[in-house]
């Protein structure tokens, strides 16, 4: 029960203020626990982010996969892959996934998150093979780079509206995978 409350508080803190806002005093304040109690559940901020990813990433990935399954063509699957990830940027669960870039995460936490994120890349492999790509993993990783760049642009509150960023990312992705 307490662990779930701590994770929910962590999601809120990440959503409101990014990784800098995720501190043990803030978690204690949000949950009404003593700061020492937070340490009973998590050894570090990296451990909180790691667990958030372990809990939230599969749900988030399932949403991307479901969007892809609704598409009929390889191009449609790729478009759904890009659009769904960008649609989830505002979701509180996404903040933990974005936290992979935070410098305070230890190597183990970064590797676990990176491995989970790699699962997204494999989702799009079949669509890329159907389009004739002889290196679908490499192409998928580059495609994910376009998505990651768009995510960062949206997260930064760029001058462009998120919808424009999404449309540009979809156009780049489809143009790139069509070759």
């Amino acid at each position: 029960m307490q662990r779930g409350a701590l994770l929910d508080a962590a999601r809120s803190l990440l959503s409101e203020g990014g990784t800098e806002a995720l501190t043990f005093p803030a978690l204690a304040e949000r949950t009404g626990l003593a700061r020492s109690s937070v340490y009973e559940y998590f050894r570090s901020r990296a451990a909180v982010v790691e667990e958030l990813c372990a809990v939230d990433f599969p749900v988030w990935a399932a949403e991307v996969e479901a969007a892809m399954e609704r598409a009929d063509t390889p191009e449609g699957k790729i478009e759904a892959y890009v659009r769904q990830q960008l649609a989830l940027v505002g979701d509180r669960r996404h903040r933990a996934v974005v936290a992979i870039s935070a410098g305070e995460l230890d190597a183990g936490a970064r590797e676990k998150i990176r491995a989970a994120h790699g699962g997204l890349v494999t989702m799009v492999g079949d669509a890329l093979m159907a389009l004739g790509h002889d290196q679908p993993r490499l192409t998928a990783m580059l495609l994910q780079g376009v998505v990651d760049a768009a995510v960062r642009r949206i997260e930064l509150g760029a001058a462009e509206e998120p919808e424009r960023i999404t449309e540009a990312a979809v156009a780049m992705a489809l143009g790139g995978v069509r070759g």
Side-chain angles (χ1 to χ4, degrees):
M1 187 75 153
Q2 300 287 18
R3 190 176 210 85
L6 286 165
L7 291 175
D8 195 46
R11 284 182 199 99
S12 293
L13 289 166
L14 286 166
S15 183
E16 294 163 12
T19 55
E20 299 81 30
L22 180 60
T23 65
F24 278 29
L27 283 171
E29 183 179 327
R30 288 281 173 109
T31 58
L33 295 172
R35 184 175 169 183
S36 60
S37 296
V38 177
Y39 283 99
E40 290 177 27
Y41 293 94
F42 300 103
R43 68 189 185 296
S44 65
R45 186 162 45 167
V48 175
V49 171
E50 186 177 342
E51 184 151 341
L52 278 173
C53 286
V55 170
D56 293 345
F57 193 86
V59 174
W60 190 70
E63 291 178 30
V64 173
E65 189 170 28
M68 290 176 67
E69 287 174 2
R70 289 189 294 271
D72 297 327
T73 65
E75 290 93 347
K77 291 181 184 308
I78 291 165
E79 181 174 349
Y81 175 84
V82 173
R83 284 189 188 281
Q84 188 63 34
Q85 286 188 70
L86 296 179
L88 290 169
V89 169
D91 189 311
R92 292 182 327 144
R93 295 168 297 165
H94 184 258
R95 289 291 185 172
V97 177
V98 170
I100 188 172
S101 63
E104 74 276 355
L105 294 182
D106 62 39
R110 276 195 310 272
E111 185 52 40
K112 286 181 182 178
I113 295 166
R114 196 173 293 119
H117 206 258
L120 274 179
V121 170
T122 61
M123 280 184 204
V124 77
D126 288 341
L128 292 167
M129 283 191 297
L131 289 172
H133 287 271
D134 61 348
Q135 294 186 333
R137 177 106 178 119
L138 173 59
T139 305
M141 290 169 55
L142 295 172
L143 173 62
Q144 187 61 42
V146 170
V147 173
D148 292 344
V151 165
R152 282 190 299 279
R153 191 93 182 133
I154 292 169
E155 290 266 335
L156 288 172
E160 306 87 8
E161 293 293 320
E163 297 79 22
R164 291 189 69 128
I165 296 169
T166 298
E167 293 307 317
V170 167
M172 287 184 72
L174 292 175
V177 299
R178 287 182 187 134

